[in-house]
Amino acid sequence: MTESTPTAEFLRQGTNPVVEPAGLDDVLARRSVGTDTVAEAVAKPVAGTVDEATPVIRASVVHVPSSLLSVVAAERQRSGRSNGQILIDAIEAGHEHLVKLHNESNSIGGRLFTARTAKPQLPVAQPLSPLNIRLYEQDYEVLDRLVTELGAGSRSRLATLALAFYLDGPT
């Protein structure tokens, strides 16, 4: 006899169930409409419930200096914006500064080795703490492109440089 509870379904899925954009209740409701798997239920919205053009929001984590967390929290409290919205605003507002940091970075190699730009220097090395962000999927593509273009090395490094400049916080 096959058990059909959410827990049993989770166990059949393995350790990485695909239930990101919808809650378990939504998935189960969609399943009752005849969808075969949780992944299909999440990928195919039920007619009339979610517009197919609605952007998908995805959660991620960047690691920033611990001292920035309280500054971001204060900005979140002051402005009512999310961590992701603050990060996007920081990158947009500080884009020229980030480009300047990249252009002023030292170049390494060029004669014997392939030329490369050193990563922009972080203000001060500190222990890092996770900062949860939620952005549209296409925003992560923009972040990754900026990481490459600006030689930041990682999303976390880009976030640290942008937030420190934007919030003028201690880093």
Side-chain angles (χ1 to χ4, degrees):
M1 179 172 188
T2 305
E3 190 175 355
S4 182
T5 65
T7 304
E9 183 62 33
F10 175 80
L11 293 173
R12 279 195 293 278
Q13 298 283 324
T15 57
N16 296 320
V18 183
V19 185
E20 192 171 79
L24 187 57
D25 292 337
D26 295 334
V27 170
L28 293 174
R30 289 179 185 150
R31 174 168 279 208
S32 68
V33 190
T35 308
D36 292 331
T37 67
V38 173
E40 288 176 5
V42 172
K44 297 178 185 175
V46 174
T49 59
V50 178
D51 186 300
E52 291 176 5
T54 302
V56 175
I57 296 176
R58 193 166 49 99
S60 188
V61 174
V62 291
H63 291 83
V64 298
S66 300
S67 60
L68 269 179
L69 290 182
S70 60
V71 180
V72 171
E75 175 63 17
R76 193 174 56 240
Q77 181 70 28
R78 184 195 68 74
S79 67
R81 295 179 297 168
S82 69
N83 292 342
Q85 292 168 333
I86 293 168
L87 177 59
I88 285 174
D89 200 25
I91 293 171
E92 293 256 346
H95 186 256
E96 288 180 24
H97 173 73
L98 295 168
V99 169
K100 181 180 172 189
L101 281 177
H102 175 67
N103 291 338
E104 291 175 354
S105 296
N106 294 328
S107 182
I108 300 169
R111 289 184 316 159
L112 301 174
F113 298 92
T114 303
R116 64 201 77 184
T117 303
K119 295 175 188 170
Q121 186 74 17
L122 292 177
V124 175
Q126 289 186 13
L128 300 177
S129 296
L131 177 68
N132 296 317
I133 58 172
R134 292 177 51 85
L135 301 172
Y136 295 136
E137 280 188 342
Q138 60 267 32
D139 292 339
Y140 290 106
E141 294 170 14
V142 173
L143 280 179
D144 292 340
R145 181 178 48 81
L146 287 171
V147 165
T148 301
E149 287 176 5
L150 300 173
S154 70
R155 290 177 184 171
S156 295
R157 189 178 201 80
L158 177 65
T160 297
L161 292 166
L163 288 169
F165 180 74
Y166 180 72
L167 298 172
D168 200 25
T171 52

